[in-house]
Amino acid sequence: MDRPAATHPATAREIILEIVRNMREGLEPMHYSTLAPAIYHVYLHPDDMERLRGIVPRIIEEARRALDEELERLNKASLGERLKIARRAEPKISLPDGGWQVRILENTDDDVEGGDIVIYSELALPAKAELGAGSMTKRIATRRLAGVETTAPVKYEKAPTPEPQNDGTTLAVIEYEDNGGRKVFRMTRDQIVVGRGGRDYWTDLKLDTLPDVSREHFRLRRDAESGQFFLKDLSRLGTTINGDKAPCSIDFSGAEKRDLNVEAPVPSPARIGLADVLYLEFRSTQNG
């Protein structure tokens, strides 16, 4: 049956205020300027997203305007500073070179509630042209249903290259860069699960990235007889193989998710994209 309506659904105004709050709390002072988060990924409960979907462009437009106004307010000198009596405590905040980039998306996590607003912001523009690509310093701000506001900085450090998972033969090598840095994963079993993982979700290759990537995003299987690799997409936001969309194996239309057991062949080498936010470079080590 349908889920009960949230007692406090997220409103458009609350979303805008949360984006502005995230900007304030994500400021990074430097010597001559202060950097503000430039990119905002806003995740809403599916019910809230469905209700607000028609006005998402207007929310984004007003969020950018509110960010401009807040930046102007924060940069405005006090009376003491204008009279040269007081000295400005922090350098002025710079408007991001590429402007404010805001995306509002459906939260695919199972443990979110109606009214939750989750914001991931990036402190600088991405190194690549794609929104959200590249390695960034990030912050996460979460507003819960009960109205409790929390902001926690997420620190990412470059991680060393992992050792092989066990003493077995390496069947394939997967190179990627997530929020923990550049990494290499050696596939030593005929089947692995790839995704963000979680308390109730086992993953062999656990990715530290945006919630666009599902907790169980895909399964990668090697056929022992032919040596061919196959990918089963388990995600809501999709997987690509060398730019082509893999067929989704999960039917999300009913009350219960149903596995259609659909797979797509994976050539070697291949570039596997997860929800267009993270890419894995896959290479088989079998047969050359």
Side-chain angles (χ1 to χ4, degrees), residues 39 101 103 122 125-134 136 271 276 279:
I39 298 175
Q101 300 186 46
R103 293 179 68 188
E122 299 183 357
L125 288 175
K128 301 178 183 178
E130 298 93 344
L131 186 65
M136 302 293 168
R271 190 171 196 244
D276 292 328
Y279 294 88

Side-chain angles (χ1 to χ4, degrees), residues 138-160:
K138 299 178 185 291
R139 295 177 66 91
I140 175 173
T142 305
R143 177 190 175 279
R144 290 297 177 188
L145 179 63
V148 178
E149 296 180 347
T150 61
T151 302
V154 182
K155 298 180 180 179
Y156 301 126
E157 298 178 355
K158 293 292 182 179

Side-chain angles (χ1 to χ4, degrees), residues 103-121:
R103 293 179 68 188
I104 298 179
L105 306 162
E106 180 178 315
N107 199 326
T108 60
D109 285 352
D110 296 330
D111 56 355
V112 297
E113 300 181 37
D116 287 0
I117 301 172
V118 180
I119 302 176
Y120 287 78
S121 64

Side-chain angles (χ1 to χ4, degrees), residues 39-222:
I39 298 175
Y40 300 83
H41 293 83
V42 182
Y43 297 91
L44 304 177
H45 186 275
D47 291 346
D48 292 327
M49 186 66 188
E50 184 63 28
R51 182 173 52 84
L52 298 172
R53 193 180 305 277
I55 62 170
V56 162
R58 183 65 177 270
I59 296 173
I60 292 174
E61 176 188 344
E62 295 204 6
R64 289 171 177 159
R65 180 178 172 183
L67 287 166
D68 283 338
E69 291 178 354
E70 181 66 10
L71 186 143
E72 182 180 357
R73 186 189 69 80
L74 293 171
N75 279 334
K76 188 175 294 184
S78 67
L79 176 61
E81 291 168 339
R82 291 198 299 270
L83 296 175
K84 308 298 183 183
I85 299 172
R87 187 178 180 184
R88 188 174 187 85
E90 299 291 352
K92 283 197 172 185
I93 306 166
S94 302
L95 181 69
D97 292 339
W100 309 107
Q101 300 186 46
V102 181
R103 293 179 68 188
I104 298 179
L105 306 162
E106 180 178 315
N107 199 326
T108 60
D109 285 352
D110 296 330
D111 56 355
V112 297
E113 300 181 37
D116 287 0
I117 301 172
V118 180
I119 302 176
Y120 287 78
S121 64
E122 299 183 357
L123 188 62
L125 288 175
K128 301 178 183 178
E130 298 93 344
L131 186 65
S135 181
M136 302 293 168
T137 299
K138 299 178 185 291
R139 295 177 66 91
I140 175 173
T142 305
R143 177 190 175 279
R144 290 297 177 188
L145 179 63
V148 178
E149 296 180 347
T150 61
T151 302
V154 182
K155 298 180 180 179
Y156 301 126
E157 298 178 355
K158 293 292 182 179
T161 300
E163 294 299 321
Q165 303 302 298
N166 56 43
D167 294 330
T169 303
T170 298
L171 305 175
V173 174
I174 300 174
E175 299 183 37
Y176 63 97
E177 184 172 2
D178 66 2
N179 293 329
R182 189 74 185 173
K183 300 175 185 176
V184 177
F185 178 89
R186 293 172 172 82
M187 181 174 174
T188 58
R189 292 193 295 274
D190 281 330
Q191 180 167 283
I192 61 170
V193 180
V194 180
R196 285 171 40 244
R199 184 177 59 187
D200 300 320
Y201 297 85
W202 167 258
T203 52
D204 299 280
L205 174 48
K206 187 173 182 179
L207 302 168
D208 182 1
T209 186
L210 295 168
D212 302 55
V213 174
S214 298
R215 294 185 185 275
E216 280 186 319
H217 201 92
F218 69 80
R219 296 190 183 191
L220 185 63
R221 179 180 68 85
R222 174 186 174 272

